[in-house]
Amino acid sequence: QERSISTDYIIKAYKESYDIDVASLFGGAEEIHVYRCAQSGFRFYAPGSVAGDSDFYAQLQRFPWYYMDWKWEHDVVKDTLQSGDRLLEIGCAEGAFISRLDTSIESVGLELNRNAALAGQDAGLDIRTEAIQDHAIMKPNYYDVVCSYQVMEHVTDVRGIVAASVQALKPGGRLIISVPNNDSFIKYSPDSILNMPPHHMNLWDEASLKGLQDHFDMELVGFELEPLQPYHYPVVISNF
């Protein structure tokens, strides 16, 4: 165990900052804890039962900054795609990424936030309210690319999701994961509530992300760090 955090602090901060009541998600627990895996260095919050539900994310969706239409990593991945590729995006929100892909690419999105999924479906996108664990059973060895952007920090079943992602890929396919780097400027804001449950359940860094290849049938072929973006400036400045 690395750290303990009062749930009262988190509950009050969410109410004051975002007018969201998260008390029920903690089930009466007085503290949550950060643990570090002795083998991989991967850090995660416990208990896992305090993760946000669909209603929690629907409330965050009210803020225009929550679902960004375009991200740096979208361009990085888009430039690697080829005509005829089959792509699956896990946690696609309203489909901002897959909506911009060439029609020659078969694009499917998975999104458990029903409000976001419905918005994408209304725009004509193939978005399904399915978990990757279920989707992979129906579509094994099917996709050339399985990707997720700012999703894996929110989940509790990391092993199950990564295993299902590999199952859904063709042999030689690419699994692309983008997560916040907790060795970046984020580490100077240890009390940021958006980096805690019920929002974030995992604290990834370069070592733990690269370490996935030691636990799954995959090989690391590339790793990139996002340059500092203008929307990061307020957070960086607030720490100095």
Side-chain angles (χ1 to χ4, degrees), residues 60-135:
L60 283 175
Q61 188 183 355
R62 293 180 294 133
F63 299 96
W65 47 262
Y66 191 69
Y67 284 137
M68 295 174 58
D69 287 340
W70 198 249
K71 303 173 183 177
W72 167 85
E73 55 264 40
H74 289 172
D75 279 332
V76 173
V77 176
K78 187 170 182 278
D79 289 345
T80 69
L81 300 177
Q82 299 179 0
S83 177
D85 276 349
R86 293 170 172 172
L87 178 141
L88 176 69
E89 183 184 358
I90 302 170
C92 69
E94 297 179 6
F97 175 63
I98 61 175
S99 69
R100 290 176 168 86
L101 299 182
D102 190 275
T103 55
S104 67
I105 297 170
E106 181 182 333
S107 305
V108 177
L110 303 181
E111 178 53 56
L112 298 182
N113 180 338
R114 293 188 178 277
N115 289 345
L118 285 172
Q121 292 167 358
D122 288 344
L125 301 175
D126 187 354
I127 298 178
R128 310 177 190 185
T129 52
E130 300 170 357
I132 177 60
Q133 294 94 323
D134 298 323
H135 188 79

Side-chain angles (χ1 to χ4, degrees), residues 10 16 35 58 62 66 88 94 110 139 145 195:
I10 300 175
E16 292 173 358
Y35 289 89
R62 293 180 294 133
Y66 191 69
L88 176 69
E94 297 179 6
L110 303 181
K139 294 285 189 179
V145 177
N195 205 25

Side-chain angles (χ1 to χ4, degrees), residues 28-67:
E30 295 182 357
E31 291 183 329
I32 57 171
H33 310 284
V34 180
Y35 289 89
R36 180 187 293 269
C37 174
Q39 288 184 315
S40 66
F42 175 62
R43 292 186 295 151
F44 58 95
Y45 289 99
S49 59
V50 302
D53 57 14
S54 59
D55 180 65
F56 169 72
Y57 284 101
Q59 292 186 74
L60 283 175
Q61 188 183 355
R62 293 180 294 133
F63 299 96
W65 47 262
Y66 191 69
Y67 284 137

